């Protein structure tokens, strides 16, 4: 007999912790990017084959 994937208590459905996918891995390495006109960003960076950089989970740095 297999264990249930969900259980309902007081009309609220709960799922097994091991059935929830893990958090996605961090993409690239954290970097501070200085862009044109004083823009500064921080985020997970990946170098592209054309020489550009893609920033994931980017945040704009407004004040040092």
């Amino acid at each position: 007999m297999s264990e249930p994937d969900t259980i309902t208590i007081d009309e609220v459905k709960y799922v097994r912790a091991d059935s929830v996918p893990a958090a996605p891995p961090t993409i690239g390495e954290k970097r501070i990017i200085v862009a044109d006109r004083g823009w500064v960003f921080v985020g997970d960076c990946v170098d592209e084959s054309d020489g550009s950089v893609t920033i994931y989970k980017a945040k704009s740095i407004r004040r040092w």
Side-chain angles (χ1 to χ4, degrees):
M1 182 175 181
S2 65
E3 295 184 29
D5 291 327
T6 62
I7 188 169
T8 304
I9 301 173
D10 294 331
E11 299 180 17
V12 176
K13 185 184 275 188
Y14 297 91
V15 296
R16 290 174 42 125
D18 61 354
S19 69
V20 177
T26 301
I27 299 172
E29 61 180 339
K30 292 260 189 246
R31 287 194 225 164
I32 295 174
I33 303 293
V34 179
D36 292 340
R37 299 186 176 141
W39 287 96
V40 182
F41 300 97
V42 63
D44 299 327
C45 297
V46 175
D47 293 317
E48 302 296 341
S49 60
D50 63 356
S52 64
V53 175
T54 302
I55 307 173
Y56 295 92
K57 301 180 189 172
K59 303 230 186 237
S60 174
I61 299 175
R62 298 292 205 166
R63 203 179 326 194
W64 287 93

